[in-house]
Amino acid sequence: MTETLDDLPIRSVLKTLMTPPQFKPAPPGVRFMQFNEGAWPPSPKVVAAIAAAAGQVNRYGDSHWSRLVPAIAARTGVAPDRIICGNGSAELITLASTAFIEPGRNCVVSTPSFPRLGGGSRIAGGSIKAVPVKPDGSHDVEALLKAVDADTRLFWLTTPNNPTGAAVSAAELKHIAASLPGQAILAVDEAYGEFSRAGGGIDALEELKGVDRPWFVLRTFSKAYGMAGLRVGYGFMSSPALAEAFHRVRNTFNLNIVAQAAALAAFEDQDYMWARVKECVAERERLRTRVGGLGLKCLKSAGNFLLIEMPMEATAAQAAIRQHGVAISTIKAPGYERYIRVTIGLKDDNEAFFAALRQTVAPPRAASAAAG
């Protein structure tokens, strides 16, 4: 029997969505600078916690994360009943769309931005009101607010924004919070927040504490904590009622026992995390300066990545750089056909990427650039 999606009783909106692309681990010899993972390994305490928990995987993980959540609550000052954990912050994004979006409702989001933000709304049967970022990659706050209507339920704000790297200011965040109508939930994605704060950026959670409106702030262990392979995200809710909305649409055992043990160990080793984040920020700025020395436009970034405009199509640049053993990303958004995104790696990785980049852009032009 030959069966297609049209033969199945699936919702019509799903027929318009794309299957996630297939990604495989980088083969030996390839520097993987593509997915904005943390280049540094996790804390040794995390590795030890994983080993200790491995013998317990015959059991489900704690359904309400009763060791991890109190630790997060104690450090942040947010009550445990306002904290939610998920299988990566991507799950929490999907849960938000499941809870608040339905046919006839919409979300407002910048473009380009993290695809799951709008994708979750479409899966739930809603629509997306996408607002282009400014030429420097920053959010067009006034245009985003203007896009909000009576059917808007989620107002997504990524800070720093992936892939442009721009972060919002405290004044912008407060203006948004004060301007949004009550039915629109302010949804802040701080997946790269640690890198921004290390450079003097705001803490969205601290800025929103005490703000009397529906909001939530999402964070992850995938980036700064070096735990992308374990998928642990967490979120702070403006009220226990908002947290309850997430609970009602999540799986009971959504975070496995090893991931919970690892996340707790990582969260308790803040010194290790901040040391790695500061190393990454220093490498990011060093690489950005060198890229600029090649005459290329490189957007200012508060994340663990850089967005670079190339003198050729991004797919061609990506392929050329891959020939030098470095894997990077392209951006699938109108107006960004010539942009590549590179994750900040260890110093050797960044050196290899820069050498590949220099060979990819016109070599005679690059030869006169400063070697850094």
Side-chain angles (χ1 to χ4, degrees), residues 18-342:
M18 294 181 62
T19 300
Q22 185 178 35
F23 294 112
K24 298 179 181 179
V30 174
R31 299 176 188 271
F32 204 66
M33 305 174 73
Q34 189 169 5
F35 290 157
N36 294 349
E37 301 151 312
W40 287 260
S43 161
K45 295 178 181 178
V46 170
V47 177
I50 290 172
Q56 306 169 45
V57 296
N58 57 307
R59 302 295 182 187
Y60 290 116
D62 185 330
S63 66
H64 282 68
W65 331 290
S66 59
R67 294 183 64 204
L68 178 58
V69 163
I72 295 173
R75 182 169 292 277
T76 60
V78 178
D81 63 356
R82 290 171 49 201
I83 298 174
I84 292 287
C85 293
N87 187 24
S89 56
E91 183 198 11
L92 299 178
I93 291 168
T94 300
L95 294 181
S97 297
T98 303
F100 303 113
I101 300 294
E102 60 186 339
R105 308 303 185 192
N106 67 69
C107 75
V108 170
V109 64
S110 290
T111 182
S113 193
F114 185 47
R116 175 52 54 179
L117 302 177
S121 180
R122 292 188 63 196
I123 291 171
S127 59
I128 308 165
K129 302 190 80 174
V131 177
V133 298
K134 295 179 178 180
D136 65 354
S138 63
H139 295 290
D140 190 336
V141 172
E142 295 306 323
L144 286 165
L145 289 171
K146 188 176 181 180
V148 174
D149 61 25
D151 294 318
T152 301
R153 293 297 178 265
L154 290 172
F155 182 98
W156 286 109
L157 189 68
T158 53
T159 181
N161 183 46
N162 172 25
T164 62
V168 300
S169 67
E172 287 174 320
L173 184 58
K174 290 176 180 178
H175 174 54
I176 292 168
S179 302
L180 281 177
Q183 91 284 349
I185 298 172
L186 173 54
V188 181
D189 178 2
E190 268 197 321
Y192 303 93
E194 291 85 357
F195 303 98
S196 179
R197 293 195 291 279
I202 69 167
D203 183 324
L205 176 62
E206 291 301 318
E207 296 295 336
L208 289 173
K209 282 181 177 178
V211 173
D212 187 19
R213 63 154 299 108
W215 55 263
F216 61 80
V217 176
L218 303 184
R219 294 178 178 172
T220 182
F221 284 87
S222 294
K223 313 299 182 182
Y225 291 94
M227 288 174 41
L230 285 177
R231 312 300 296 128
V232 183
Y234 58 111
F236 304 97
M237 308 289 141
S238 58
S239 67
L242 187 56
E244 178 63 22
F246 279 74
H247 279 298
R248 292 192 178 192
V249 293
R250 73 174 177 89
N251 290 326
T252 303
F253 302 107
N254 67 336
L255 204 55
N256 71 70
I257 199 166
V258 174
Q260 290 191 48
L264 178 61
F267 200 76
E268 291 178 341
D269 197 354
Q270 293 287 307
D271 289 344
Y272 180 90
M273 182 272 289
W274 285 115
R276 303 292 82 74
V277 166
K278 290 175 182 177
E279 286 183 60
C280 180
V281 169
E283 279 295 302
R284 181 193 71 206
E285 293 308 299
R286 187 177 71 89
L287 182 58
R288 180 169 177 260
T289 298
R290 298 185 75 191
V291 171
L294 297 178
L296 299 175
K297 178 182 177 182
C298 183
L299 298 189
K300 183 178 180 181
S301 174
N304 69 337
F305 53 87
L306 291 173
L307 191 65
I308 303 166
E309 185 176 17
M310 299 294 288
M312 73 274 289
E313 290 294 309
T315 51
Q318 180 186 43
I321 291 171
R322 181 59 180 262
Q323 290 297 311
H324 293 279
V326 181
I328 57 164
S329 292
T330 58
I331 308 303
K332 294 179 175 60
Y336 287 81
E337 293 82 5
R338 291 178 177 266
Y339 281 82
I340 60 171
R341 189 195 68 190
V342 59

